């Protein structure tokens, strides 16, 4: 079994090694290869996602990714390497679970998964400016094929995890040609899964309910951009960004990555929370390598540590343990 590790930028260099330690301890035969991507790599060589990184990632079939720093202004030749890697590896679904974790900042009763379409919508990167830079336009693309694929993923996940309901989230009232298509196709797919309840919410209303009553949600099926935003909102109820994992899945490939970014405000201090990336590694074991027993051991070690009050500083906003101290505790608790 092979894993391609891409730390990326910022706290990626601190949290990813913690998750690799966990995986190595549980899977001594795991072959680990390292590859580079990100803003630092772009500044060094002019390439944010080098071809040899893509080749290693595809060859391994499984990637553990930290985070990349991306500027919010145009830079010639640069685009987000993780968005490109998801496309290049054809990971069409991004699974972002939020469940209650025993920390004071989490909300009891929350157990939901955002199933985010990962290949299209506004994230296709078809953007330009005209009018001397004063008018910007981006294309939003929704296709039947990609919607069918993500909808089947959401309903199958609901069935496999014995969940009761899939909520389709869209803005079809304003965007009937794109989100309206997503909604229509999702309802068509729902007919194949009569055992799962299906409902829908407009994305603004979904945001309201995500704040007001997150336990209302079970599986959320949604296009790329809304999924990005709603899963960050949901992460607050799981205890915060430092605790929120994700897994991108494709036909026979997967990219595990926390939902957080490179956290430049705390990078280099050794205080970042490695839980999100450790739980992402657990998702990789469960969904991609089909090793649920290993995933259970990782999840149990994290739950046990948090239950004892072992936290990094982000959880309570006060002095916490370092990234390495927390990783030591998880490795010691794997059983
Ligand atoms: P961010 O997720 O990096 O940070 C938001 C806040 O959460 C910061 O205060 C940060 O310190 C904290 N935080 C995040 N992860 C943490 C962890 N593991 N432990 C403790 N605290 C943590 O989002 P932000 O600041 O909006 O973006 C920073 C950079 O990251 C940007 O360049 C952005 O483009 C990039 N980014 C990359 C992503 C990726 O590679 N998948 C995803 C999101 C942002
Ligand atoms: Mg995001």
């Amino acid at each position: 079994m092979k894993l391609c590790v891409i730390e990326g930028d910022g706290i990626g260099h601190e949290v990813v090694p913690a998750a690799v330690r966990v995986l190595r301890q549980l899977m001594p035969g795991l072959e680990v290869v390292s590859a580079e991507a990100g803003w630092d790599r772009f500044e060094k060589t002019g390439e944010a996602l080098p071809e040899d990184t893509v080749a290693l990632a595809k060859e391994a079939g499984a990637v553990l990714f930290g985070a990349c720093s991306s500027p919010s202004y145009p830079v010639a030749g640069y685009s987000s390497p993780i968005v490109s890697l998801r496309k290049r590896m054809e990971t069409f679904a991004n699974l972002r679970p939020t469940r209650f974790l025993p920390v004071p900042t989490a909300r009891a009763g929350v157990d939901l998964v955002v199933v985010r379409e990962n290949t299209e919508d506004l994230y296709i990167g078809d953007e330009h400016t005209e009018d001397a830079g004063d008018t910007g336009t981006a294309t939003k693309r929704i296709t039947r094929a990609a919607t069918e694929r993500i909808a089947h993923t959401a309903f199958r996940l609901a069935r496999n995890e014995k969940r009761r309901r899939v909520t389709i989230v869209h803005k079809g009232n304003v965007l009937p040609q794109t989100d309206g298509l997503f909604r229509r196709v999702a309802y068509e797919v729902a007919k194949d899964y009569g055992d799962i309840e299906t409902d829908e919410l407009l994305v603004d209303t979904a945001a309201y309910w995500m704040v007001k009553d997150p336990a209302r949600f079970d599986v959320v099926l949604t296009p790329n951009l809304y999924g990005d935003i709603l899963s960050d909102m949901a992460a607050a109820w799981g205890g915060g960004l430092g605790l929120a994992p994700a897994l991108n899945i494709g036909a026979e490939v997967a990219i595990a990555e926390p939902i957080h970014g490179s956290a430049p405000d705390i990078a280099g201090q050794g205080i970042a929370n490695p839980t999100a990336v450790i739980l992402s590694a657990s998702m990789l074991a469960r969904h991609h390598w089909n090793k649920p027993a290993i995933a259970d051991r990782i999840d149990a070690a994290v739950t046990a540590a948090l239950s004892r009050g072992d936290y990094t500083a982000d959880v309570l906003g006060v002095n916490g343990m370092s990234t390495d101290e927390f990783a030591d505790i998880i490795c010691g608790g794997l059983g």
Side-chain angles (χ1 to χ4, degrees), residues 11 67-70 82 241-242 257 260-266 272-273 314:
I11 61 168
C68 284
S69 303
S70 294
I82 183 61
L241 280 176
E257 51 159 340
H260 64 69
S262 58
D265 54 339
I266 59 164
N273 191 343
D314 53 300

Side-chain angles (χ1 to χ4, degrees), residues 32 166 193 301:
V32 178
V166 171
Y193 303 84

Side-chain angles (χ1 to χ4, degrees), residues 94-174:
N94 190 327
L95 311 182
R96 298 187 153 194
T98 297
R99 67 183 166 95
F100 172 77
L101 286 170
V103 296
T105 46
R107 171 87 76 104
V110 177
D111 181 8
L112 62 89
V113 188
V114 176
V115 179
R116 166 186 172 192
E117 201 289 323
N118 223 13
T119 62
E120 53 182 27
D121 195 7
L122 276 165
Y123 285 32
I124 57 174
D126 181 9
E127 248 198 331
H128 67 274
T129 46
E130 53 208 322
D131 190 18
D134 287 344
T135 302
T137 305
T139 304
K140 175 177 168 94
R141 178 174 300 131
I142 301 288
T143 63
R144 167 174 287 277
T147 307
E148 280 179 354
R149 204 165 53 174
I150 195 70
H152 280 292
T153 303
F155 282 99
R156 273 200 301 265
L157 177 131
R159 206 174 251 175
N160 291 342
E161 297 194 351
K162 306 207 176 351
R163 293 177 175 275
R164 66 187 190 286
R165 180 166 62 193
V166 171
T167 301
I168 307 163
V169 173
H170 60 86
K171 189 74 183 176
N173 55 337
V174 176

Side-chain angles (χ1 to χ4, degrees), residues 195-231:
D195 48 324
I196 309 288
E197 191 190 321
T198 305
D199 69 354
E200 64 179 301
L201 286 174
L202 296 173
V203 65
D204 41 352
T205 313
Y208 172 80
W209 284 112
M210 192 60 85
V211 172
K212 176 111 176 136
D213 181 18
R216 178 218 178 279
F217 291 99
D218 199 348
V219 176
V220 176
L221 165 60
T222 189
N224 208 335
L225 176 63
Y226 311 143
D228 193 356
I229 298 168
L230 286 174
S231 57

